[in-house]
Amino acid sequence: MSATPTSRPSIQARELPATRAAVAMFGLLLVAYAVNAMDRMVFPVLLVEVRAEYGFSLEAAGLQATVFALGMGLAGLPAGRLQRALGRKRTIVAGTVLFSVATALTAASTGFGDMLLWRVLSGAGEALQLAAIITVASNAFPARRGLAIGSINMAFAAGSVVGPAFGASLLEHYGTWRAPMLAYGAVGIVLAAAVVLLVSPRLTEAEPATATAAHTGGATSLLSRNPLVLAAVIVLFGLADFAFIGLYASYLRAELGFDSGAAGFVVGLSGLAAFASPLGGHLVDRFSPRVVLAGLNLAVAACGCALFLGPGSAGWQGAFSFLFGLFASSGVYVAAAGYLVKSVDAANVSRAAGMFVTCVYVAVSAAGLLFSSLVSTAGWTGAALVQIVGFSAVGAVLALILRPHLFSTTAPVTTTPVRDDS
């Protein structure tokens, strides 16, 4: 029996891998992304050794810790175009290889300039990988876009926990900061090969029309009100969050007297909190962006006050490091990405994913330098009150002017079952 026209979406839906296979393949993409977090979170812990060997100032070291974000920001929007030219799977593989090679080459740096180059290139590779994975999450799982995007950040959490702890152990065992960089670069290459062999293009290249839920509504341009307001919120968040990620370990070691192991543990707790990222995605799928983004930004500001105004004990710092990661990484980061994708129509999803990467990471590229400069003039507490607390509060205010009724929605695709009489 031939299929009727109304059954065509069902035929297309069967082109996707079975649910378990799709989840398993998406899981492998998340493991590959987790390697990024291993480097992102361990490098700030290694800054004391890097500064001692190369003679970098605090400002120069802060720039090295966050300049990868310049590469991410510059590559974010082009990543959307590259996905359409090469396909998402090839873009993910290319980004993973570029990131991993640049991470390993950081260990061969002879000075400030070439180290800066490798850090920028590693960020460019991560941008290609991240933007493509966000697009895959949105298109392959449209009915649970927030949850799928939240799982990406949960992968970052896994790397954040493993990265500082394992990196510190490699540092102590081999007596050189280069050991973690070489190890993480090698792991990334292995995972890129695994993606080539095990992930099907039927998952990575899926479009909303081939899924079981349709993406309807949303802005037809990234220059519309909601995408632009979200872009501003994301920029402010990037400046606040990566001031913390880039230099909080230095604050613990230089100001509070923590050793490398204790600093790595406390910083790792902020990454551990990102395991709650699917909950952030659930908020995106269920609640108004005004309420969610305003509330989460205010919570980040409160945690910033607690970290830099409160006691310097390991218990206090560890508790609020965890809460900071919960509200920032599991909260604002996931919600902003999810709402930005939901703010546009189906044709602009890949562009929105690239815009998110650009907005976060162009800001992040300057976060370490700005924060370290503020520390030099106003001290650690003054710098935190301006950049972490203040910027988060402004982001909360901006969230209140979003227009929730203009965001896209998803609805199940109504299909007629297809008989196979062959």
Side-chain angles (χ1 to χ4, degrees):
M1 180 182 293
S2 61
T4 64
T6 58
S7 65
R8 179 59 182 165
S10 180
I11 296 173
Q12 292 174 329
R14 293 192 303 175
E15 295 173 0
L16 287 168
T19 301
R20 290 183 180 178
V23 171
M25 287 186 285
F26 187 63
L28 180 57
L29 298 181
L30 298 183
V31 172
Y33 180 60
V35 179
N36 290 327
M38 293 169 67
D39 171 62
R40 293 293 167 254
M41 297 302 287
V42 77
F43 192 74
V45 177
L46 303 175
L47 278 181
V48 171
E49 285 72 25
V50 172
R51 287 183 64 193
E53 178 174 337
Y54 292 92
F56 295 158
S57 65
L58 178 62
E59 289 82 358
L63 180 60
Q64 292 285 3
T66 59
V67 75
F68 74 90
L70 177 61
M72 290 196 72
L74 293 177
L77 289 176
R81 293 192 291 271
L82 193 63
Q83 290 177 54
R84 294 189 292 276
L86 295 182
R88 295 168 200 141
K89 178 177 176 177
R90 290 191 182 96
T91 302
I92 291 168
V93 171
T96 304
V97 170
L98 177 57
F99 168 86
S100 301
V101 170
T103 295
L105 286 173
T106 302
S109 300
T110 60
F112 181 84
D114 58 340
M115 183 180 288
L116 201 71
L117 173 63
W118 304 134
R119 301 304 291 166
V120 170
L121 289 177
S122 73
E126 184 176 350
L128 301 183
Q129 183 196 55
L130 176 58
I133 293 176
I134 290 175
T135 306
V136 171
S138 180
N139 286 352
F141 308 100
R144 293 290 183 269
R145 284 176 293 181
L147 188 62
I149 292 171
S151 69
I152 298 173
N153 209 44
M154 189 171 68
F156 189 92
S160 297
V161 172
V162 174
F166 185 53
S169 67
L170 289 174
L171 171 65
E172 293 175 4
H173 181 75
Y174 291 100
T176 173
W177 63 269
R178 291 176 171 83
M181 309 303 290
L182 293 172
Y184 296 166
V187 171
I189 294 296
V190 171
L191 287 170
V195 170
V196 171
L197 295 174
L198 300 176
V199 175
S200 170
R202 290 187 300 156
L203 174 80
T204 58
E205 315 311 316
E207 298 295 341
T210 67
T212 56
H215 178 135
T216 59
T220 58
S221 169
L222 293 178
L223 299 180
S224 300
R225 178 190 180 98
N226 283 335
L228 287 178
V229 171
L230 286 167
V233 172
I234 292 166
V235 167
L236 290 167
F237 170 73
L239 288 168
D241 188 43
F242 278 82
F244 171 84
I245 290 175
L247 286 167
Y248 177 59
S250 294
Y251 168 70
L252 292 175
R253 297 187 66 181
E255 186 74 6
L256 301 184
F258 284 52
D259 61 27
S260 61
F265 175 76
V266 171
V267 171
L269 288 173
S270 68
L272 179 65
F275 277 111
S277 293
L279 296 178
H282 181 72
L283 296 178
V284 172
D285 291 329
R286 295 284 184 176
F287 301 109
S288 165
R290 286 179 179 172
V291 175
V292 172
L293 284 174
L296 290 172
N297 270 289
L298 289 176
V300 170
C303 289
C305 287
L307 287 169
F308 291 89
L309 292 174
S313 66
W316 180 276
Q317 292 295 318
F320 280 98
S321 175
F322 177 84
L323 290 174
F324 189 98
L326 182 67
F327 295 122
S329 297
S330 295
V332 180
Y333 184 93
V334 173
Y339 285 127
L340 185 55
V341 168
K342 291 185 71 172
S343 73
V344 299
D345 60 12
N348 283 289
V349 167
S350 64
R351 295 183 181 91
M355 182 180 185
F356 171 76
V357 174
T358 291
C359 288
V360 170
Y361 292 104
V362 164
V364 168
S365 66
L369 180 60
L370 174 59
F371 193 64
S372 58
S373 298
L374 288 171
V375 170
S376 297
T377 58
W380 288 99
T381 299
L385 290 176
V386 172
Q387 190 165 335
I388 296 177
V389 177
F391 289 3
S392 296
V394 174
V397 173
L398 287 176
L400 297 177
I401 67 174
L402 290 167
R403 295 177 177 174
H405 66 283
L406 297 179
F407 281 70
S408 67
T409 59
T410 55
V413 175
T414 302
T415 62
T416 302
V418 180
R419 290 180 56 189
D420 186 354
D421 295 331
S422 58

